[in-house]
Amino acid sequence: VETSIDATQPYVQQAVGVVVRLHYAVPLLSGQLDQDPPAHASLQRVGEDVTYQREIGGRRYNVVERRFLLVPERSGPLVLPGARFNGQAAGGFFDQVFDDGRKPLSAASANTRLQVRPIPADAPQPWLPLHDLRLRYLQAPTRGRVGEAVTVEVEVQADGANAAQLPALELPASASVQVFADPPQSDEQLADGRPRTTLRRRIALVPLQAGALAIEGPRIAWWDAQAGVARTASLPPLRLQVAPGTDTAATPVPGPASSTPDALRSPRNAGGAMRGWWGISVVLVVLLEAVAWWA
């Protein structure tokens, strides 16, 4: 069993990728791989186990790889306990003859020691330690019309954080524009043992006045955990040329008179209605006499 981490000197609340690998070259009948969390840190299992083969020292091993996300809660030394495996393998010929054919196996990795650094005094707030952060527009309209919505879509790619750690992607509202944002869509993956997250958000802008409109682009302040410096990712302002809105005539709402039947609007129509009812009555009388004659 071996354990690897992607940072030995992380900052407080920095996401650290932990990978545990179990190597075995005998048929396993059963087994359990355990990883205890360290004190003063959270440890969360992420993703599913990955299996593959690997050659070490001229011998081929089956490998089970399990991944975790470690987040230190305070500065100072931190000890990650070694992962442990306990299981049973198929024994040899004599084990199967004189015993039940099962052979106990156990293995463990060494403890891993980390030195957690505190949050720097000049770090931007909210605190966001990362390896990299990038912003871009997926949709950036340049024209609009008063009262009609246009859609902006923004994407952020963060190396070293999950979706819950990233701030919301927002555009500021003003007296010239209304802003309506959809819930963000996230995609989380693991690369090089640490989380990498892509966050996308669609934002509707409704201009309230005609003319040239400039909307400040999104900005995210973060801390470069590798270089140890503060950085800011930003996008240029959105510039819209807004045309005047189109006025449409309102459709008149029918009044109470419109619900009055045509037959009751004038004596002429009333007379026509009476003649219609007289014809129906004559037909009914003829039908009744025919039925009576048949009976």
Side-chain angles (χ1 to χ4, degrees), residues 185-207:
Q185 304 296 321
S186 62
D187 179 21
E188 298 182 1
Q189 298 180 357
L190 287 176
D192 300 328
R194 61 178 178 265
R196 292 190 179 181
T197 301
T198 300
L199 203 66
R200 300 181 182 90
R201 195 172 198 185
R202 294 169 63 90
I203 303 172
L205 304 178
V206 181

Side-chain angles (χ1 to χ4, degrees), residues 9-30:
Q9 295 184 351
Y11 289 92
V12 173
Q13 298 177 5
Q14 178 182 339
V16 179
V18 179
V19 180
V20 175
R21 299 181 182 90
L22 167 67
H23 302 73
Y24 62 96
V26 295
L28 293 180
L29 299 177
S30 63

Side-chain angles (χ1 to χ4, degrees), residues 217-282:
R219 298 171 59 89
I220 298 179
W222 59 287
W223 183 264
D224 190 331
Q226 290 182 309
V229 295
R231 301 189 186 277
T232 300
S234 61
L235 290 177
L238 282 167
R239 302 189 182 279
L240 289 176
Q241 189 62 39
V242 182
T246 56
D247 295 329
T248 57
T251 302
V253 179
S258 63
S259 60
T260 305
D262 291 341
L264 302 181
R265 290 187 182 179
S266 67
R268 180 178 179 181
N269 289 338
M274 292 299 295
R275 288 193 297 271
W277 280 110
W278 175 255
I280 294 175
S281 301
V282 171

Side-chain angles (χ1 to χ4, degrees), residues 144-147 174-177 206-213 240-245:
R145 187 177 295 276
V146 172
S174 66
S176 303
V177 62
V206 181
L208 302 179
Q209 64 183 32
L213 178 62
L240 289 176
Q241 189 62 39
V242 182

Side-chain angles (χ1 to χ4, degrees), residues 119-128 223 230:
I119 299 176
D122 58 342
Q125 296 297 327
W127 168 242
L128 185 61
W223 183 264

